[in-house]
Amino acid sequence: MTRMMGAIRMPRRLNRSFAVSFVLFAFLAVFGAFMALPLIYAVNNAFKPLNELFLFPPRFFVNNPTMDNFYDLVALMGNSWVPLSRYIVNTLFITIVGTVGHILLSSAAAYPLAKYRFPGSRVLFSIVVMALMFSGHVTAIPNYMVMSWLGWINTHASIIVPSLAFPLGLFLMKQFMEQIPDALLEAAKIDGANEYRIYWTIVMPNVKPAWLTLMILQFPMLWGSDGGNFIYSENLKTLHYALGQITAGGIARAGVGAAVALILMIVPITLFIISQSNVLQTMATSGMKE
Amino acid sequence: MQAETTSPSAVSSLVQPKKQSRLANLWRELKKNKHYYILMSPYMLIFFAFTVVPVVFSIVLSFFYFNMLEFPRFVGWQNYSRLFLNDDVFMIALKNTLLFAVICGPISYLACFLFAWIINELSPKVRALMTLVFYAPSISGNVFFIWLIIFSGDRYGYLNGFLIKFGFILEPIQWLTNEKYILPIIMIVQLWLSLGTSFLAFIAGLQTIDKSLIEAGAIDGIRNRWQELWFITLPSMRPQLMFGAVMQITSSFAVADISVALAGFPSVNYAGHTIVTHLMDYGTIRFEMGYASAIATVLFAMMLGANKLTQRMLRKVGE
């Protein structure tokens, strides 16, 4: 306990008493447990043999960890009409194209909005901000019609293309870009760089934290996408959809379902672990002051 | 500019130059800034095609009867009057959605800030770990069906097993098919998932606060941490606070996936029904597109209204 308490940083000008620190720490621990336990439980479940999955009373931690669920998963999906690898490739394709495209498109749109005033710039940005204030459900019905007019029903484009222009990314990117000193852009202009060059060689490297932030927001959303109402063909479906199919198999598939769930959740979380230190670090040091 | 001097009639030359020069001015501005428009065009094209136009289209469609087969028929306000006067299920959905907005919205917002604030005080390593712990649920790829196992109605359900083992209850409780429990359970899971973007934004905001401001505050007579919070921390991160509010409000009005995953669709006696699931019902099952658009328009108005209201309140922070 004392070791953990030492983790709380004290050298601020306004110190707080030990009692307050302790209460805060306990508070954090209780809610941290509430947040973490379901996930830990999911991880444990994936390694439980079948007899432990249906033990009464149910146990939280796995006793005899086994990889059986993963072998079963591979066997099950290897025998099915569409192999598991297909779902994984589909999901990866949607996620990577969607995330990279989103970062490129929204930063390209954010740069002029953040740094210049021109006819329509204010209106466009306020529309984007307004779009943050309602969820995609509002536009679900017209979207379906737009997709069918474009002939995009049952293609990956129906998932990827709308996701490229989510308003959140543009908004965050623009906020970050406003911190770039104008002098930097002026200097580049004097050196004869055109706008595209400035965007690519000056602005983009300076907003790395924003890329990572956009990635962290966009990636899990696409990774967890189940194809919605747009995709019907089995060989175009995503991993999340496959999970639904497997767990629909009921009790016999509980172990395999737990294994897929682990795969689904571990990827975004790993990505966040990798990029988090980068995001927080760069954010702490990138406090540009003009 | 040429056109001004060569205008044929005196009258039009009095009227036109101003108008033309304004147009010409705009044209010049557009041309001067054409690179910016080109940079923005890919994003804006997609954004308009899949967000802006659909909203307008949805509002227009809400005044029509449209079933995807016949040509739309104009019905005026009929969809709305039916929605508010003749649709009992919508009233349940409206009540549930407002409950989510009023309970989950503020709680999740305060939780995001509170945890970010406490976590920000920790040493970097612990801070990174705690950020991960609190943020992970919201990105864990829709694995909230874990909660299905926890709240499962038989005695293998984790919560039931636990309660039976320690003698709180004798028989398993049907958590997800009992009207009494459905809504609170969805709220718990919604809260579990809600420490997302706003939480990260708050942590980032807290870390970029100018340290010299805090020092200056100490000299100016800030005596305790509450004063520091109210007079320095909160005002310096007002942009993040505004942004976080938008995120939390929008998501608390849009509860649907969790309800469907936990309580089924439709849930028992519509106990977990929300405006979005009502919209799904009419849009994707009954194909009453006009009526569904009216539901979407009501949702749109509610989300926008709640956001505008909250923003007005947040402007007062730290004053």
Side-chain angles (χ1 to χ4, degrees):
Chain A
M1 202 49 124
T2 45
R3 193 183 59 81
M4 297 292 264
M5 290 306 300
I8 294 180
R9 201 153 43 106
M10 292 297 206
R12 299 278 227 97
R13 285 141 309 279
L14 294 164
N15 286 343
R16 60 163 79 93
S17 68
F18 182 79
V20 174
S21 298
F22 182 78
V23 169
L24 284 183
F25 173 74
F27 183 75
L28 209 58
V30 168
F31 282 93
F34 170 70
M35 300 304 281
L37 285 180
L39 294 178
I40 296 170
Y41 180 61
V43 173
N44 272 288
N45 251 9
F47 296 102
K48 278 181 186 167
L50 208 55
N51 60 341
E52 270 189 61
L53 277 171
F54 294 99
L55 209 61
F56 182 82
R59 284 221 193 97
F60 196 83
F61 292 107
V62 54
N63 266 357
N64 304 303
T66 164
M67 291 297 281
D68 283 358
N69 292 330
F70 293 91
Y71 298 139
D72 288 351
L73 173 68
V74 173
L76 173 73
M77 298 318 274
N79 291 335
S80 64
W81 181 53
V82 176
L84 180 70
S85 53
R86 185 78 229 179
Y87 295 113
I88 294 178
V89 167
N90 286 339
T91 308
L92 275 176
F93 177 75
I94 289 174
T95 310
I96 290 171
V97 174
T99 308
V100 172
H102 177 63
I103 293 172
L104 287 177
L105 258 59
S106 39
S107 56
Y111 163 56
L113 288 175
K115 282 294 161 195
Y116 304 100
R117 289 274 156 271
F118 47 90
S121 63
R122 256 163 223 259
V123 179
L124 283 176
F125 186 65
S126 58
I127 293 175
V128 171
V129 172
M130 214 169 167
L132 286 177
M133 298 184 186
F134 55 87
S135 67
H137 300 101
V138 169
T139 56
I141 289 160
N143 262 351
Y144 187 85
M145 297 177 190
V146 171
M147 290 297 171
S148 75
W149 287 330
L150 289 169
W152 283 359
I153 299 289
N154 208 16
T155 62
H156 283 153
S158 65
I159 310 284
I160 295 171
V161 175
S163 82
L164 296 180
F166 276 142
L168 183 56
L170 174 60
F171 175 79
L172 288 176
M173 201 46 116
K174 189 219 167 218
Q175 299 289 86
F176 276 110
M177 282 183 179
E178 278 180 348
Q179 299 178 334
I180 297 174
D182 288 332
L184 203 64
L185 305 178
E186 291 300 323
K189 231 171 260 178
I190 290 164
D191 288 347
N194 64 24
E195 290 300 339
Y196 308 101
R197 216 184 144 81
I198 293 176
Y199 158 66
W200 192 247
T201 59
I202 312 272
V203 176
M204 280 303 262
N206 268 309
V207 293
K208 226 182 218 163
W211 303 356
L212 292 166
T213 312
L214 260 62
M215 181 194 72
I216 287 168
L217 297 176
Q218 187 81 347
F219 188 97
M221 196 165 54
L222 290 169
W223 179 256
S225 153
D226 61 357
N229 298 320
F230 297 133
I231 290 182
Y232 302 114
S233 300
E234 198 60 34
N235 58 352
L236 293 175
K237 294 264 188 191
T238 61
L239 196 58
H240 188 255
Y241 174 83
L243 170 70
Q245 293 288 88
I246 292 166
T247 47
I251 288 175
R253 298 277 169 77
V256 180
V260 180
L262 181 65
I263 297 174
L264 265 179
M265 72 181 232
I266 214 75
V267 175
I269 291 179
T270 312
L271 207 65
F272 181 65
I273 293 172
I274 296 167
S275 57
Q276 186 210 10
S277 59
N278 211 333
V279 167
L280 293 180
Q281 200 187 357
T282 33
M283 274 180 186
T285 54
S286 73
M288 275 191 218
K289 277 163 230 124
E290 189 37 352
Chain B
M1 291 300 109
Q2 292 275 311
E4 280 175 49
T5 48
T6 56
S7 294
S9 85
V11 182
S12 66
S13 73
L14 275 177
V15 184
Q16 269 192 340
K18 213 173 168 190
K19 212 174 160 190
Q20 263 190 353
S21 71
R22 257 183 72 188
L23 269 176
N25 244 337
L26 183 67
W27 179 242
R28 235 177 321 143
E29 278 284 297
L30 289 179
K31 255 178 108 168
K32 197 182 85 192
N33 293 312
K34 70 166 188 278
H35 300 298
Y36 303 140
Y37 294 109
I38 293 172
L39 271 173
M40 291 200 311
S41 57
Y43 181 94
M44 286 301 167
L45 260 172
I46 298 172
F47 177 66
F48 271 78
F50 293 104
T51 304
V52 179
V53 175
V55 167
V56 177
F57 190 73
S58 181
I59 294 172
V60 173
L61 198 62
S62 71
F63 295 101
F64 286 83
Y65 174 83
F66 182 43
N67 57 12
M68 294 283 274
L69 295 171
E70 297 165 70
F71 194 76
R73 190 176 78 236
F74 184 75
V75 293
W77 291 93
Q78 196 187 305
N79 285 329
Y80 290 98
S81 63
R82 181 178 153 206
L83 196 57
F84 283 102
L85 301 174
N86 275 327
D87 191 341
D88 294 340
V89 178
F90 177 70
M91 285 300 139
I92 299 175
L94 189 66
K95 185 201 81 188
N96 288 342
T97 305
L98 287 175
L99 276 176
F100 278 117
V102 170
I103 297 174
C104 288
I107 292 181
S108 67
Y109 183 63
L110 289 177
C112 281
F113 182 77
L114 194 63
F115 291 127
W117 192 45
I118 299 176
I119 286 172
N120 191 48
E121 303 284 307
L122 304 172
S123 68
K125 282 225 173 84
V126 187
R127 182 167 62 207
L129 176 71
M130 291 316 276
T131 308
L132 174 69
V133 165
F134 282 91
Y135 186 62
S138 70
I139 51 166
S140 55
N142 298 348
V143 292
F144 43 72
F145 76 90
I146 303 159
W147 291 89
L148 269 182
I149 308 167
I150 294 174
F151 287 113
S152 169
D154 51 33
R155 59 194 195 121
Y156 298 109
Y158 199 71
L159 187 62
N160 274 332
F162 178 82
L163 290 176
I164 291 173
K165 192 173 149 197
F166 289 99
F168 289 109
I169 52 173
L170 293 174
E171 293 175 343
I173 296 175
Q174 303 286 328
W175 296 107
L176 295 170
T177 44
N178 188 328
E179 284 175 59
K180 230 176 19 186
Y181 299 117
I182 290 178
L183 212 54
I185 287 174
I186 298 173
M187 281 180 182
I188 290 172
V189 179
Q190 164 76 9
L191 286 174
W192 182 69
L193 282 164
S194 66
L195 269 78
T197 321
S198 333
F199 175 65
L200 281 191
F202 291 167
I203 288 183
L206 284 165
Q207 284 188 13
T208 46
I209 287 178
D210 194 347
K211 294 282 184 290
S212 59
L213 266 181
I214 296 171
E215 274 156 31
I219 296 165
D220 285 349
I222 297 267
R223 279 188 306 279
N224 54 44
R225 298 197 66 90
W226 300 111
Q227 286 191 345
E228 183 187 301
L229 178 69
W230 185 253
F231 291 110
I232 297 173
T233 312
L234 288 180
S236 2
M237 54 181 293
R238 194 180 294 148
Q240 282 93 351
L241 289 176
M242 294 268 202
F243 168 70
V246 170
M247 291 289 104
Q248 295 312 103
I249 291 169
T250 309
S251 67
S252 66
F253 270 101
V255 178
D257 294 351
I258 304 168
S259 170
V260 172
L262 292 177
F265 179 59
S267 44
V268 176
N269 270 344
Y270 295 106
H273 211 55
T274 66
I275 295 184
V276 175
T277 54
H278 203 55
L279 172 68
M280 282 158 58
D281 188 5
Y282 280 91
T284 59
I285 295 175
R286 304 182 201 216
F287 285 104
E288 292 190 36
M289 294 311 197
Y291 193 60
S293 295
I295 300 171
T297 307
V298 169
L299 183 66
F300 172 73
M302 282 170 65
M303 285 172 165
L304 224 56
N307 270 305
K308 293 284 178 201
L309 205 74
T310 316
Q311 289 206 318
R312 195 160 293 172
M313 274 158 56
L314 280 175
R315 287 214 181 93
K316 297 201 173 68
V317 163
E319 273 171 8

